[in-house]
Amino acid sequence: MAPQLLDSNPRQYEWNPSDNLFLRYEYDFMPKGILTRFIVEMHHYIDEPKVWRSGVILKRDNTFAELIETYDRREIKIRLSGTNKRGFLEVITDKLDEIHRSYERLKVKKMIPCNCFACKDSQTPHFYDFEKLRQRMANNKQNIECDKPPYNEVNILNLIDDTIGRDKFIQKETERESNINYHIHNSQVQINQGTSAMAENQNKPIRVKSAWANGSFYLFVFVVVVAGIGFLGNQLAFPTFCVVVIGGILFVPIIGALQLKQDERLQDETFLELMKMVIGQLPLIGDVLGKVLNPSNKSENE
């Protein structure tokens, strides 16, 4: 089938308006070709010759489906009549949802018709955003008000059951949110939120480190070392004092490394390598200790 060869004018056909089932898709931005692609992939259901560029009549068993695309209004309307409306609607929506997923970042709303007394036999019922119905159910809201007078309250699960089917809905929601459990009693749904991974992490006992662990201990040691150097300045000979000062300066990166190790931002291997490098810079004894700590380097030099 070549969609570009389809007639742009709608076909003439008869339709039984009693006990119809509706569904509607609304798009923020509607790419061209969604319905024509659908027609090509569902051509075996076409009730020939009832197909045109912006619409099609499908038939399966004793059920008919009408799909009409209104590009200017960015919507596709679906209407079904017959004995197995919901089963045929499931086939149609599965194919349309598959086509929608092939578009990157396509924003589309699935609109569910109201089944209140005022809307049930109307050809223009009020429609609800399916995503908002999901959100209400997830928050244990059982009912929603129709937007048409006399503003009847309707049961959300019954709305979904008339179009998608409650069993399929519960299955998909369970797969989507594994931590949510649905318990259905007639038309009432009790939703129990399971323990999610985030909640488990929040419930874990928090390991509180001591006040010394935030660096205060190492800062205290550094102050003591500096004070000791100041005191030894009056007690030691100048060459010896210089050695002590250099050792105190090299002690600073040791403090930093210990802090990183305490904060678990430094692995054990990296910490040891850093300590070896600092010790190797110590005056007089650095070369000797460096050869002891790094025997592999000594063998390579030989």
Side-chain angles (χ1 to χ4, degrees):
M1 175 178 291
Q4 65 273 14
L5 300 180
L6 292 174
D7 193 348
S8 59
N9 297 317
R11 296 286 185 175
Q12 298 297 320
Y13 55 91
E14 294 182 357
W15 185 266
N16 182 5
S18 63
D19 194 25
N20 285 178
L21 177 60
F22 299 88
L23 194 74
R24 194 168 73 199
Y25 286 96
E26 295 181 355
Y27 304 81
D28 286 356
F29 169 76
M30 188 175 190
K32 289 186 177 181
I34 290 180
L35 187 63
T36 51
R37 178 176 168 184
F38 173 85
I39 290 172
V40 171
E41 297 192 21
M42 300 285 284
H43 67 275
H44 49 286
Y45 287 119
I46 295 177
D47 186 21
E48 297 286 0
K50 301 169 188 176
V51 57
W52 60 102
R53 199 171 299 173
S54 60
V56 64
I57 305 296
L58 306 178
K59 180 181 179 181
R60 190 181 77 161
D61 299 329
N62 294 317
T63 305
F64 295 88
E66 173 194 71
L67 287 87
I68 296 178
E69 177 188 83
T70 308
Y71 187 76
D72 293 340
R73 299 180 62 178
R74 302 189 301 276
E75 67 179 15
I76 292 178
K77 292 182 178 180
I78 305 173
R79 181 172 62 162
L80 295 98
S81 174
T83 57
N84 188 20
K85 297 184 290 292
R86 198 177 72 183
F88 199 15
L89 179 63
E90 181 178 341
V91 174
I92 293 169
T93 54
D94 283 349
K95 178 55 67 175
L96 280 171
D97 291 343
E98 177 185 329
I99 294 173
H100 292 154
R101 288 191 294 270
S102 67
Y103 292 90
E104 187 176 359
R105 294 190 295 273
L106 179 65
K107 295 182 179 179
V108 55
K109 294 179 181 178
K110 184 180 291 186
M111 307 298 291
I112 305 295
C114 182
N115 61 0
C116 74
F117 179 77
C119 294
K120 189 170 182 62
D121 294 322
S122 172
Q123 289 293 306
T124 57
H126 173 64
F127 284 84
Y128 304 95
D129 184 349
F130 175 63
E131 184 62 29
K132 291 184 178 179
L133 295 179
R134 285 187 60 257
Q135 293 173 5
R136 291 180 69 88
M137 288 193 65
N139 287 278
N140 279 307
K141 301 296 183 182
Q142 307 291 338
N143 301 318
I144 190 169
E145 185 180 273
C146 178
D147 202 40
K148 287 189 173 185
Y151 308 107
N152 296 312
E153 277 202 349
V154 291
N155 181 268
I156 295 176
L157 185 61
N158 286 341
L159 288 174
I160 295 173
D161 193 34
D162 283 351
T163 51
I164 299 173
R166 69 175 68 186
D167 294 336
K168 183 177 180 181
F169 169 74
I170 298 301
Q171 178 184 354
K172 286 191 173 182
E173 290 302 293
T174 304
E175 293 172 355
R176 180 173 179 173
E177 299 287 347
S178 58
N179 63 309
I180 297 180
N181 299 317
Y182 292 81
H183 302 284
I184 301 176
H185 305 283
N186 296 325
S187 295
Q188 301 297 314
V189 180
Q190 179 183 356
I191 300 177
N192 297 326
Q193 296 278 354
T195 304
S196 63
M198 182 178 295
E200 289 178 357
N201 291 333
Q202 291 176 347
N203 293 332
K204 286 183 179 180
I206 300 175
R207 185 179 62 180
V208 180
K209 297 180 180 181
S210 67
W212 291 96
N214 62 2
S216 300
F217 172 75
Y218 305 117
L219 179 61
F220 171 76
V221 173
F222 176 70
V223 171
V224 171
V225 170
V226 172
I229 291 174
F231 173 76
L232 293 175
N234 297 323
Q235 306 295 325
L236 301 176
F238 181 74
T240 306
F241 175 71
C242 291
V243 172
V244 174
V245 170
I246 295 173
I249 294 174
L250 292 176
F251 192 70
V252 174
I254 296 178
I255 294 175
L258 289 170
Q259 178 62 55
L260 292 173
K261 181 67 171 61
Q262 184 68 39
D263 292 341
E264 298 179 352
R265 289 185 292 174
L266 200 63
Q267 296 180 352
D268 292 340
E269 296 81 1
T270 308
F271 175 74
L272 292 175
E273 290 298 326
L274 184 58
M275 289 299 98
K276 291 177 183 179
M277 184 178 67
V278 172
I279 293 173
Q281 300 300 317
L282 291 174
L284 300 179
I285 63 171
D287 292 339
V288 177
L289 291 177
K291 293 178 180 179
V292 174
L293 295 173
N294 296 285
S296 59
N297 293 340
K298 180 180 178 181
S299 61
E300 289 177 1
N301 293 333
E302 292 176 352

